[in-house]
Amino acid sequence: MLLSDTIAAIATPHGEGGIGIVRVSGSLAIAIACKVFRSPQHASLVDFPSHTLNYGHIVDPIEGNVIDEVMLGIMRAPKSYTAEDVVEFNCHGGSSTLSTVLDLTLQAGARLAEPGEFTRRAFLNGRIDLAQAEAVVDLIRSKTDLARQIAMDSLSGRLSREVNSLNDRLADLLAEVEASIDFPEEELDFLDLTAMRRTAQAIQDGLEQLIATASDGKIVRDGINIAILGKPNVGKSSLLNKLLKSTRAIVTEVPGTTRDTIQETLNLRGIPVNLTDTAGIRRTEDIVEKQGVERSKSYFDRAALILMVFDASEQLTDLDIELLREASSRHAILVLNKVDLPFATFPKDLKSHAPEKTVIQTSTLHGSGIEELKSAVLRHVIGGECVLANSPIVTNVRHDDALRRAQSSVSHAIESLDAKMPPEFTAVDLRNSLDAIGEIVGNTTSEDILDRIFSQFCIGK
């Protein structure tokens, strides 16, 4: 990968669409566009102002054939996505047209961009840092408005500013410690050590505050997997439909209607919830249904949270009790459904076998208890609190790992200060912390890590 190259790629998804974009970035971008773009006024692109859209046609420079009618966007360095000269051909969105236009740019001197190379150039050219670059992927993949808002905040630099603030305070503290090493004759007095410890503790507190957001941040970014389990005909599929507010699963009175899993995503107050409706668990000799039952049981280990559904109009059976015992050792909510019918099983009956679990009474026929169930799910997932995007939130596993390593190193530095050990020990720990924090924004990130990060991007981004 050479920054001196001019790169090109299709920046819009594959398939048909009203508009498709071919993006070109680099020092030769405008020169390449001049070879393939013709304006009705026969004006030269060299004279076109930056950040304008210009009407014209893509023409094969060798054959002279008109390929497409386009709008050409021109953005001159450094005020572009990559901080280089960028041109974008807004074409009609057919795959043949876009491929042809891309081929013409390659023949004119560009090379095909690698995955994420446009964003990587934005990072390498200093327009954004690494945390902002990763937020681009989060923004593209966001499943809810809350996830989009958090990703947009990270892209705007909110997380980076917090990280850079901690980085600067660490660097200042390290400079003080290293000064005591370079000038040993000027021994630190008690007040100096006390001030250093206070600063280190404040840095550690700041790191812990960011780390505390990581669990909720990961849920907002990736969602949580919830499985609906229970015997046949207790209302699992009806519950799925009520939660989704649509008829997604087939509901009949015939036991075993659901023989395989059905998966859907629910936006629960900004949290992506990946719901799985499973086959009813019962003893059966039907080979197909038996496989469905075994797959349902596997969700005891695979799901982050289980909604275990029981029929209030039927007495508990040995299988129900077996399921209750299984649920008692898992993250589970007990759902007592069909409470619109005369009770044969009561909440206290479920509690007697799983006393620590929450019991929610529902009627999927009338829709009662559904909102209460959603609130109970939120309490299990994020402690019932709203995830607010008005402060930095860590959503990236890589960032969480770097912050934890930084926090651990600062903790060791504090121990060294408390033990009045030689300053060299404290300096090593502070340097390790500084390096870990630097990985987040790209100050101390290796080429291998950069390759892994940007390989997640599509080619046109």
Side-chain angles (χ1 to χ4, degrees):
M1 183 183 295
L2 297 174
L3 282 175
S4 58
D5 291 347
T6 296
I7 57 174
I10 298 171
T12 43
H14 295 294
E16 295 182 357
I19 294 176
I21 297 175
V22 175
R23 175 180 290 161
V24 184
S25 177
S27 59
L28 298 179
I30 295 174
I32 289 171
C34 286
K35 294 179 181 180
V36 300
F37 177 78
R38 302 289 181 271
S39 72
Q41 297 81 19
H42 303 288
S44 172
L45 277 178
V46 176
D47 301 323
F48 285 11
S50 182
H51 294 77
T52 58
L53 278 176
N54 305 276
Y55 171 76
H57 295 85
I58 298 295
V59 178
D60 186 327
I62 297 176
E63 302 293 335
N65 300 328
V66 175
I67 305 301
D68 193 19
E69 182 181 36
V70 302
M71 295 294 292
L72 181 141
I74 180 169
M75 290 148 281
R76 299 182 188 276
K79 294 183 178 181
S80 71
Y81 183 74
T82 60
E84 303 171 332
D85 285 343
V86 173
V87 294
E88 292 183 345
F89 300 102
N90 292 261
C91 312
H92 291 95
S95 58
S96 175
T97 299
L98 292 173
S99 296
T100 302
V101 174
L102 176 61
D103 287 342
L104 290 178
T105 65
L106 300 180
Q107 293 168 22
R111 70 163 170 80
L112 185 64
E114 297 179 13
E117 190 171 357
F118 290 99
T119 304
R120 186 166 184 161
R121 288 191 173 203
F123 163 66
L124 294 174
N125 289 328
R127 195 186 73 79
I128 57 176
D129 62 36
L130 194 55
Q132 290 173 295
E134 290 172 291
V136 172
V137 174
D138 291 344
L139 187 60
I140 293 171
R141 295 177 178 173
S142 56
K143 300 175 182 178
T144 67
D145 189 62
L146 178 59
R148 176 201 58 76
Q149 185 181 350
I150 292 173
M152 194 62 219
D153 284 345
S154 293
L155 182 57
S156 69
R158 175 173 285 175
L159 176 63
S160 300
R161 287 190 293 272
E162 188 72 20
V163 169
N164 284 327
S165 174
L166 291 168
N167 183 89
D168 292 344
R169 292 159 70 186
L170 259 175
D172 290 342
L173 180 58
L174 178 60
E176 287 187 52
V177 174
E178 290 182 336
S180 70
I181 298 172
D182 294 336
F183 305 100
E185 66 280 1
E186 298 181 15
E187 293 185 2
L188 293 172
D189 58 26
F190 177 75
L191 291 178
D192 292 327
L193 286 172
T194 301
M196 283 184 179
R197 195 198 186 286
R198 189 185 305 116
T199 300
Q201 185 62 56
I203 293 170
Q204 186 180 43
D205 292 343
L207 289 167
E208 288 177 349
Q209 286 175 11
L210 281 178
I211 292 169
T213 69
S215 57
D216 288 351
K218 186 177 185 301
I219 291 172
V220 171
R221 181 191 186 196
D222 300 330
I224 183 170
N225 297 323
I226 297 180
I228 305 174
L229 299 178
K231 294 192 309 183
N233 273 29
V234 295
K236 299 185 302 299
S237 297
S238 297
L239 183 62
L240 175 72
N241 291 339
K242 282 295 180 183
L243 289 169
L244 296 173
K245 295 182 179 179
S246 68
T247 306
R248 176 61 181 86
I250 298 173
V251 177
T252 73
E253 295 180 358
V254 179
T257 299
T258 303
R259 294 195 167 199
D260 203 352
T261 57
I262 298 173
Q263 296 180 324
E264 287 291 334
T265 299
L266 168 68
N267 180 350
L268 189 55
R269 300 179 197 172
I271 306 298
V273 174
N274 308 312
L275 283 172
T276 301
D277 178 26
T278 63
I281 298 175
R282 66 171 178 172
R283 298 175 179 88
T284 178
E285 297 304 318
D286 185 291
I287 296 176
V288 176
E289 188 180 356
K290 202 170 190 177
Q291 290 182 352
V293 170
E294 290 303 314
R295 183 173 295 183
S296 297
K297 289 180 178 179
S298 72
Y299 277 90
F300 276 116
D301 296 317
R302 294 164 59 186
L305 178 65
I306 295 168
L307 303 184
M308 186 66 74
V309 187
F310 299 89
D311 187 343
S313 67
E314 299 286 342
Q315 290 187 344
L316 290 179
T317 64
D318 290 342
L319 181 55
D320 285 318
I321 295 172
E322 183 181 322
L323 293 175
L324 280 167
R325 287 172 180 166
E326 188 71 41
S328 65
S329 61
R330 312 283 176 167
H331 292 291
I333 296 174
L334 309 182
V335 181
L336 189 60
N337 191 36
K338 302 187 182 180
V339 295
D340 51 288
L341 299 176
F343 279 82
T345 295
F346 295 85
K348 63 180 179 62
D349 299 324
L350 301 184
K351 281 281 195 179
S352 66
H353 297 283
E356 302 299 321
K357 299 305 174 187
T358 300
V359 179
I360 304 296
Q361 300 181 57
T362 64
S363 167
T364 54
L365 179 63
H366 300 297
S368 62
I370 300 301
E371 292 304 316
E372 186 182 354
L373 177 59
K374 289 180 180 179
S375 296
V377 169
L378 280 176
R379 285 195 296 274
H380 275 262
V381 173
I382 56 173
E385 299 178 359
C386 293
V387 177
L388 301 176
N390 55 7
S391 59
I393 295 176
V394 176
T395 61
N396 190 297
V397 174
R398 189 183 72 84
H399 299 171
D400 183 30
D401 174 67
L403 288 168
R404 290 180 185 278
R405 286 187 282 113
Q407 188 272 340
S408 176
S409 294
V410 172
S411 179
H412 291 150
I414 291 173
E415 292 173 3
S416 298
L417 289 170
D418 288 342
K420 296 183 180 179
M421 298 176 68
E424 287 84 357
F425 289 92
T426 304
V428 168
D429 290 326
L430 293 178
R431 172 59 63 186
N432 289 339
S433 182
L434 200 60
D435 288 344
I437 286 181
E439 292 177 15
I440 297 174
V441 292
N443 294 339
T444 57
T445 306
S446 69
E447 198 71 20
D448 288 343
I449 292 177
L450 291 180
D451 289 340
R452 286 200 297 272
I453 290 171
F454 289 105
S455 66
Q456 303 174 51
F457 287 62
C458 59
I459 290 178
K461 198 61 179 176

